[in-house]
Structure formats: structure tokens, C-alpha cells
Amino acid sequence: RILREEGPNRELPVQVTIAQGLVKGDKMEVVIQKGTELGAFSFCAFTSMRTVVKLDEKKERRRLERWQKIAKEAAEQSHRSHVPIIENVLTWRELLASASRFHYALFAYEKEETVTLHRVLAEAAPGSKILIVIGPEGGFDEKEVAEAEAAGFLCVSLGRRILRAETAPLYALSCVSYQFEQQ
């Protein structure tokens, strides 16, 4: 008797959470849609010093519902077995406190010159939980960088070019996929 049929596993062998600084317009929707297709396990938006977008409680609730719907549709389209979790919008302090939930808490920083995402991913094992923090338009303030490092985040470079806020998480997920899904 067949109880359940399982299809091919389309999930990344690591759980990647994208923490994205709130961005203007529909850019967050693009990050969630494409990030879901690329294998993100979950997403959380956060506010920081240079965040321009401000959400009241009602707007946040509507956006979270919309983002979850986008994640569900993108997961169905890409035949994933897991629909990414869309977490509530975090404050900067709440984001910093979340580092301990992950094996790797990475902070994408354009001024980082020695530690690359590639190097960190090469050390990570399948099954790892990885948090990748991407800043809003305008990036991070130096004070925020110091606070992130003090909270246990590791600053990493995403390469020589400065990427847009909505491009950086997709680049990072592509790197994760390349690292862990080579055959």
C-alpha cells in the first residue's frame, strides 16, 4: 500500500534565511519571489538607521500577507516542498539578537576586504542554518557594522562590485546554490 509519494528533493542542503533591510517599492516582493525560486528557507525584513520605508501595524500586516502569498506561489512554480517562512519585520536590535539561532550569521558589507562569502560557504556543512543580512538602499552605518560584529555576525564580501539592495540577496543565494548543489 502506497501511503505517500515523494518527488525529487528540490531544497538546498542548508537552510538560508535572508534578512533584508526594508526597501522601497516592490523590491521586497522581487527578493521574496526570486529568493524562493533560488531556495531560501525563510525571509525577514528589518529596519535600520538608513531604512527609508516606514510601516505602521496595518501596512505591515498587509505586506506580510502579500509576501507570504508571493512565497507560496513561487514555491509552487519552482516545485519546492517547502514554502519559505515570512517572519515579522524586525527592529535592528531584534535582528542582532537573532544571530545565536544560526550556525553562521553573515553580514554582507561592501567595505569588507578579507572575508568572502565563498570562503565561509566552503567551511559550512550540509544541514547548516545560515543567516545572510543585506542592508537597505544606502547600506549600513559604521555604528551598525560594529554592533553586528559585537553581536556575533561575521562581515563578508559579496565581491568587488557594489550590488543593489535587491540584487545582493539573489547573488548570495546563487552562491549558496553553486557551493552546495554541484554534481
Side-chain angles (χ1 to χ4, degrees):
R1 189 173 108 185
I2 298 172
L3 297 177
R4 185 175 85 190
E5 250 185 77
E6 290 190 17
N9 182 3
R10 300 189 192 282
E11 301 304 318
L12 287 172
V14 292
Q15 289 183 0
V16 179
T17 297
I18 297 294
Q20 173 73 57
L22 274 175
V23 287
K24 295 185 272 186
D26 64 355
K27 294 175 184 175
M28 191 69 183
E29 294 178 6
V30 171
V31 168
I32 290 169
Q33 181 187 56
K34 303 306 179 197
T36 297
E37 292 174 24
L38 290 167
F41 183 78
S42 63
F43 296 91
C44 68
F46 67 91
T47 57
S48 61
M49 284 178 150
R50 295 184 180 162
T51 301
V52 175
V53 178
K54 304 292 181 213
L55 298 177
D56 61 30
E57 195 174 308
K58 187 177 176 183
K59 265 188 187 175
E60 181 179 335
R61 191 172 12 88
R62 279 195 319 243
R63 290 248 177 117
L64 290 171
E65 288 170 4
R66 173 134 176 84
W67 295 341
Q68 191 65 62
K69 181 180 180 215
I70 289 168
K72 180 181 181 291
E73 290 170 356
E76 289 170 357
Q77 183 276 322
S78 54
H79 295 264
R80 291 192 53 192
S81 56
H82 171 77
V83 176
I85 300 157
I86 309 297
E87 298 178 24
N88 290 332
V89 177
L90 302 176
T91 65
W92 178 245
R93 296 281 170 231
E94 290 169 333
L95 177 64
L96 293 179
S98 72
S100 62
R101 296 184 359 222
F102 298 89
H103 297 108
Y104 296 90
L106 308 178
F107 187 84
Y109 185 50
E110 66 270 9
K111 293 182 182 175
E112 176 57 49
E113 296 178 353
T114 56
V115 180
T116 63
L117 178 61
H118 172 74
R119 188 178 99 196
V120 175
L121 293 178
E123 297 170 5
S128 296
K129 293 182 180 182
I130 302 171
L131 172 65
I132 303 175
V133 177
I134 308 292
E137 294 102 342
F140 292 105
D141 183 84
E142 295 291 327
K143 181 181 175 208
E144 291 172 323
V145 176
E147 290 172 345
E149 289 178 318
F153 284 84
L154 176 63
C155 288
V156 295
S157 167
L158 297 183
R160 297 180 183 147
R161 291 159 301 286
I162 306 295
L163 303 174
R164 290 180 179 270
E166 68 274 20
T167 306
L170 305 180
Y171 174 83
L173 284 164
S174 297
C175 291
V176 171
S177 175
Y178 181 78
Q179 178 67 36
F180 288 96
E181 296 185 312
Q182 294 180 37
Q183 294 179 8

